[in-house]
Amino acid sequence: MAETEAETIQAKMQKLLAEASKKSPEELVFNYKGVLYPRFMCSNESFQALESLEAREDDVMVVTYPKCGTHWAIKVIHELLYSLQNKDVPIDQAIIEFLNPEKVEHLKGKPSPRLFATHMYPDDLPKSFFEKKVKMLLIFRNPKDTAVSYYHFSNKNPVLPSFDSWELFFEAYMEGKVCFGSYFEYALDWNKHIDKENIMVVTFEDLKEDFKSELLKISDFLGLSLTEEQVALVESKTTFKSMKENSSNTHGKLGDVFFRKGEIADWKNYFTEEQSKELDAKFEETLAGTKLGEKMNYNKYCTF
Ligand code: A3P
């Protein structure tokens, strides 16, 4: 992206963040089909405009609940689809529900392959994404670390309502009264789709613990084969350290907010025994025994 264009986007973002920081928690959210969304990022008009976005067979979509590793996955796929192919494509505003109607129009003319991301529920996505069997990479992260990451993010990102304490955030998270709704309902809804050939599930934890083998699976899923050198190159460009170091270019003043710790098990520093048990019970009631629940390796990552 030309430097001036990047600067304009950052300047617009700064203005928006300054405006958002003056608003009350109620003014920051709106309800769309029973789920809360950040008013400064999306609107009814953006959801309506999205309905006219026709998917293409070679589109690629990253699907995440917030804080599960969206930007990490976008960067990895961006490297695979564009950088390794010597295509100069900027990573800009990939999250489709954050696009205004004008940007949606712009996307319609973008060359293939297009890379998108979304936090939307499957039933709310434009139907053509399923009809065209767009490749979707679902990134899930254990619900305890996701909660802690989301707590910090909510308090540092002015477009989201903040919380006076971890306890208050935990309550809202468990009740699904946070932006993008309940982690558990979101995961259950996506679980209905995971047997489809165009859908692949990757976990944050597997990416952390065995990046190379996950990268090879992802590239295989996208129909690409990588040399050893390419694997090493993508790995070096997508480590937490390198993404954090570059974050003021990619995310402006919110760089350190998007790239906070990037670790597994930080939840142990926040959850009380009681909160941990409450979430265990919720998991048992909802995702335990589902295919997605199995993939999460809950006992390994969510036990004190
Ligand atoms: P933490 O808050 O636990 O640090 P999202 O992109 O969906 O908003 O997810 C953000 C979370 O992913 C943050 O978690 C962030 O630090 C982590 N993350 C981002 N890039 C990462 C990377 N390359 N490696 C490991 N974690 C990363």
Side-chain angles (χ1 to χ4, degrees):
M1 193 185 314
E3 203 178 334
T4 47
E5 197 185 333
E7 277 168 5
T8 314
I9 293 174
Q10 295 293 359
K12 277 193 190 153
M13 202 59 207
Q14 278 315 312
K15 199 165 156 234
L16 187 144
L17 294 175
E19 271 177 47
S21 57
K22 293 183 207 137
K23 302 290 179 189
S24 68
E26 295 73 31
E27 287 173 313
L28 287 172
V29 296
F30 77 104
N31 193 311
Y32 176 74
K33 298 191 181 173
V35 175
L36 294 179
Y37 288 92
R39 195 188 286 280
F40 273 79
M41 299 308 291
C42 37
S43 62
N44 281 319
E45 290 73 49
S46 34
F47 285 117
Q48 263 160 25
L50 267 187
E51 282 171 24
S52 71
L53 180 65
E54 270 296 312
R56 299 181 196 149
E57 276 160 18
D58 56 2
D59 287 337
V60 177
M61 176 86 96
V62 170
V63 175
T64 55
Y65 184 81
K67 314 322 293 170
C68 286
T70 322
H71 295 86
W72 189 8
I74 291 174
K75 173 76 175 160
V76 169
I77 299 182
H78 190 276
E79 289 298 315
L80 296 175
L81 291 183
Y82 308 125
S83 308
L84 290 183
Q85 324 297 329
N86 297 317
K87 290 183 185 165
D88 185 17
V89 177
I91 303 196
D92 60 341
Q93 308 214 2
I95 299 180
I96 56 173
E97 58 273 24
F98 295 167
L99 299 169
N100 61 31
E102 206 181 295
K103 292 256 167 59
V104 172
E105 274 311 303
H106 174 72
L107 276 186
K108 295 179 184 171
K110 237 183 138 182
S112 290
R114 300 177 299 184
L115 169 58
F116 302 126
T118 187
H119 300 318
M120 284 167 80
Y121 288 68
D123 290 348
D124 298 337
L125 273 183
K127 298 280 164 287
S128 61
F129 280 84
F130 288 100
E131 287 157 8
K132 293 274 166 62
K133 298 197 168 106
V134 166
K135 286 191 175 142
M136 299 188 198
L137 196 73
L138 274 50
I139 315 289
F140 272 92
R141 184 181 192 181
N142 79 69
K144 292 183 180 176
D145 279 332
T146 303
V148 168
S149 179
Y150 208 175
Y151 167 58
H152 288 285
F153 193 65
S154 301
N155 283 358
K156 294 262 172 68
N157 185 344
V159 305
L160 296 174
S162 52
F163 291 82
D164 286 339
S165 64
W166 157 248
E167 285 68 30
L168 287 174
F169 177 83
F170 178 76
E171 245 172 61
Y173 179 78
M174 293 302 286
E175 289 174 12
K177 290 186 179 155
V178 290
C179 281
F180 305 97
S182 157
Y183 173 99
F184 301 94
E185 282 171 27
Y186 182 86
L188 278 176
D189 270 14
W190 276 103
N191 181 61
K192 294 180 195 150
H193 297 271
I194 63 169
D195 283 330
K196 294 182 174 156
E197 62 189 295
N198 56 313
I199 289 194
M200 178 184 185
V201 180
V202 175
T203 67
F204 181 99
E205 291 76 15
D206 285 348
L207 274 175
K208 271 297 281 188
E209 296 198 321
D210 193 357
F211 183 83
K212 271 188 195 145
S213 96
E214 294 308 302
L215 177 63
L216 289 174
K217 286 186 218 159
I218 295 170
S219 48
D220 200 39
F221 174 66
L222 297 178
L224 302 165
S225 67
L226 305 185
T227 63
E228 290 269 322
E229 254 176 21
Q230 289 175 321
V231 170
L233 184 66
V234 175
E235 183 168 31
S236 71
K237 287 168 84 176
T238 58
T239 59
F240 179 74
K241 188 169 177 285
S242 84
M243 289 187 70
K244 191 175 173 80
E245 276 168 9
N246 193 32
S247 66
S248 60
N249 299 323
T250 55
H251 292 79
K253 290 209 166 123
L254 287 185
D256 281 342
V257 175
F258 274 93
F259 301 92
R260 189 185 62 96
K261 273 192 169 178
E263 285 171 7
I264 299 174
D266 192 29
W267 67 268
K268 294 182 185 174
N269 298 317
Y270 292 83
F271 274 68
T272 62
E273 189 80 38
E274 203 181 310
Q275 289 168 336
S276 178
K277 284 194 179 133
E278 187 181 331
L279 202 147
D280 292 346
K282 181 87 177 171
F283 186 85
E284 196 53 42
E285 212 177 276
T286 54
L287 288 160
T290 66
K291 255 197 175 169
L292 188 50
E294 288 301 305
K295 286 215 171 260
M296 287 180 187
N297 217 338
Y298 189 83
N299 290 339
K300 177 168 178 197
Y301 294 113
C302 285
T303 307
F304 259 120

